[in-house]
Amino acid sequence: MSDYDDGVERYDVTPILKSRYFILPASAALVGLFIGAVRGSRLASLRFLAENAHRPPKTIRGWYLYNKTKNYKRMAAGLLSGGKDGVWVGIEDGLGQCGKPFDDLKEVGAGVGTAGAFSVVYRLPWRTGSRALLLGSMMGGGMGFLRWAREYLSRARGDFDT
């Protein structure tokens, strides 16, 4: 099934791996990145305002430097928060696309994967990295339990379309 004319039939992987298995997790990670960036930058802006409310600038140059610093802090916090949310959503959606055995553990996988990624990126010591992995698995397990409880209650109520 190939375009080669040497008479040897080559194995084609295209029917097995559909392109949507790669596009959906990447687009979900991108959406998570944007949502996290907006939330993180808004929170950083409010934090900067609260930290500097006791000494407002009095000159034009002071206001310029105040807004410049606030915008840099907003960008940094937005990228950090967006990265966390993007990694989480990308891993979760990727595991959801893998099928039934991974679908039940996608939240736990997303928590452990995000904690592992940030442990490697920030070069955390072994003890701190293991705590981050434990916290990620607990958060993912909690989210998985909430998803299971929602499905259980909707089945008990008679809503079979969920």
Side-chain angles (χ1 to χ4, degrees):
M1 310 299 160
S2 66
D3 295 335
Y4 297 105
D5 293 330
D6 57 2
V8 178
E9 186 174 334
R10 290 183 171 75
Y11 184 71
D12 191 13
V13 84
T14 338
I16 296 171
L17 298 175
K18 297 182 175 86
S19 64
R20 70 183 179 104
Y21 290 132
F22 300 113
I23 292 173
L24 286 177
S27 61
L30 195 63
V31 168
L33 176 91
F34 287 138
I35 291 172
V38 168
R39 288 176 44 213
S41 69
R42 188 176 301 141
L43 183 66
S45 176
L46 291 173
R47 185 182 306 124
F48 188 81
L49 178 66
E51 289 173 354
N52 295 298
H54 67 284
R55 52 185 172 102
K58 295 180 176 42
T59 63
I60 294 175
R61 181 174 182 251
W63 279 109
Y64 170 76
L65 293 174
Y66 173 84
N67 285 320
K68 180 180 167 184
T69 306
K70 181 181 79 166
N71 289 336
Y72 281 141
K73 290 193 181 256
R74 283 186 72 176
M75 281 191 294
L79 289 175
L80 181 66
S81 178
K84 288 178 186 174
D85 289 353
V87 168
W88 178 284
V89 171
I91 292 174
E92 184 179 356
D93 193 53
L95 287 174
Q97 293 292 326
C98 288
K100 185 63 178 157
F102 297 106
D103 196 31
D104 295 334
L105 298 173
K106 64 184 178 182
E107 290 90 0
V108 176
V112 170
T114 304
F118 278 88
S119 295
V120 169
V121 167
Y122 288 115
R123 297 181 183 152
L124 296 178
W126 179 253
R127 185 175 178 122
T128 309
S130 63
R131 286 182 185 169
L133 290 172
L134 179 66
L135 182 63
S137 65
M138 288 172 52
M139 293 296 293
M143 290 181 67
F145 173 74
L146 290 175
R147 181 178 53 88
W148 173 81
R150 185 189 69 199
E151 291 172 358
Y152 178 78
L153 291 174
S154 68
R155 279 195 307 264
R157 199 172 63 184
D159 297 338
F160 295 108
D161 58 347
T162 321

